[in-house]
Amino acid sequence: MIKILLTLFFVGCLGNSGQSVGQFYTSNYCTCEQLQYQSDCTSMGPQCTWSDNSCSTLDCTKVTDAKACAANLKCMWTQNSSGESSCKFFTFCSQFSGSSQLQCLNISNNCPFTDGTKCGSSNQLYPCSHFTAQQYCQGYISQDGVCMWTDGTGCRAAQDCTLLNQQQCITAPKGCKYTENKCSQLLCTDLTSQESCTYVMDVIYKGYYQLCSWNSTTGKCANAQNYGGLGQGNCYQQTMGTARWVSTSAGGECLSCYAQTLFALIVALFIIMI
């Protein structure tokens, strides 16, 4: 359950691509080609390669890491007739067998669905209301978020902090806070140090995050109005890889990527944390 809740706060690849000023959205993950600096390129992981002063996506056949292969929507991790695994260019989901979401996701992030036998794409995912038993509901990644079982209401998407009990709440330190015997939304104003004043989860099931800004004069953390306070060193990292530093005649600025990488981020993290 703890791993599922940790994953929950990175859900953000099934919704709207827009965001408010000072907010970032996890489905807008940068592509390798959008990154202009080697440090950002290497932070993307083994799916990117830095060569001739540019960042590019590594050819599927050259990816040797199973998780990186599955996380790249152009690729799939498969076995040949001899049982040897390798990364190849993605074709379609239904050719793969998988009795669980995890088995299908280990092949390709394009395939989060299973009917118990065959894998399928994200548009085949069941809604949380489909499940009538806790064992099938808990932790299922649906179109409307990560499902959780609540006595009295059955299976539903965990859409806000108030649905979480104390144990679940404290496992989501960037999204929720547990005070006065209840779980509630964490705000930038709740962060009390410059080091912790980075971002907070704004909407659980949509993957929206609010960027925070430290005011050195008042010694307080507040909502950032834009990306203006971010520099080359923290633009990419502080926006969870959804923005990159771009050189300009004035020196440079931090800009959103709007990559629309469907399902890639949540599924990559889901696989890593299982």
Side-chain angles (χ1 to χ4, degrees):
M1 180 54 165
I2 291 176
K3 293 177 182 178
I4 294 300
L5 261 294
L6 285 169
T7 306
L8 172 62
F9 294 90
F10 291 93
V11 178
C13 306
L14 295 175
N16 186 346
S17 63
Q19 72 238 5
S20 302
V21 175
Q23 211 178 39
F24 59 90
Y25 185 59
T26 52
S27 71
N28 295 334
Y29 206 55
C30 298
T31 64
C32 302
E33 286 73 18
Q34 289 176 305
L35 305 179
Q36 295 186 359
Y37 291 87
Q38 185 173 3
S39 57
D40 291 343
C41 184
T42 54
S43 295
M44 281 283 283
Q47 67 265 37
C48 295
T49 180
W50 181 263
S51 179
D52 297 326
N53 292 318
S54 66
C55 189
S56 60
T57 303
L58 197 62
D59 186 285
C60 294
T61 59
K62 296 181 180 179
V63 178
T64 57
D65 182 86
K67 293 172 184 175
C69 176
N72 188 331
L73 299 185
K74 297 179 181 178
C75 308
M76 60 183 183
W77 186 257
T78 61
Q79 288 185 340
N80 59 24
S81 57
S82 301
E84 297 175 337
S85 298
S86 62
C87 192
K88 298 181 179 180
F89 289 99
F90 178 77
T91 50
F92 53 92
C93 296
S94 59
Q95 66 179 305
F96 306 125
S97 298
S99 60
S100 67
Q101 280 189 306
L102 181 58
Q103 287 181 358
C104 293
L105 293 172
N106 278 330
I107 297 170
S108 171
N109 285 191
N110 291 298
C111 309
F113 173 81
T114 178
D115 61 4
T117 304
K118 293 291 185 181
C119 300
S121 58
S122 59
N123 60 7
Q124 296 174 267
L125 288 170
Y126 299 121
C128 293
S129 58
H130 172 82
F131 301 103
T132 57
Q134 182 175 357
Q135 67 189 86
Y136 301 114
C137 164
Q138 197 68 38
Y140 181 83
I141 301 174
S142 74
Q143 284 282 0
D144 45 13
V146 176
C147 302
M148 65 184 301
W149 185 266
T150 305
D151 291 335
T153 59
C155 192
R156 59 187 297 188
Q159 297 183 353
D160 60 70
C161 298
T162 60
L163 293 172
L164 310 182
N165 60 34
Q166 182 177 4
Q167 181 183 7
Q168 295 164 350
C169 190
I170 62 177
T171 14
K174 277 297 182 181
C176 304
K177 59 182 178 181
Y178 194 81
T179 55
E180 299 179 353
N181 296 318
K182 63 181 180 180
C183 189
S184 59
Q185 175 74 46
L186 182 72
L187 305 173
C188 288
T189 53
D190 294 318
L191 305 178
T192 56
S193 68
Q194 186 172 0
E195 291 73 24
S196 65
C197 184
T198 52
Y199 54 78
V200 294
M201 177 211 60
D202 201 33
V203 182
I204 294 179
Y205 76 113
K206 287 296 184 184
Y208 286 107
Y209 283 76
Q210 173 62 50
L211 192 65
C212 302
S213 177
W214 183 258
N215 187 318
S216 56
T217 302
T218 62
K220 293 183 178 181
C221 186
N223 287 2
Q225 298 304 307
N226 51 53
Y227 290 173
L230 301 179
Q232 180 183 342
N234 64 354
C235 171
Y236 180 81
Q237 298 292 342
Q238 195 161 324
T239 61
M240 293 171 63
T242 63
R244 80 286 191 199
W245 187 257
V246 177
S247 299
T248 66
S249 57
E253 62 180 322
C254 186
L255 297 176
S256 295
C257 285
Y258 297 103
Q260 290 306 290
T261 311
L262 181 63
F263 230 79
L265 181 57
I266 174 164
V267 175
L269 290 169
F270 180 81
I271 294 172
I272 289 170
M273 291 187 286
I274 291 296

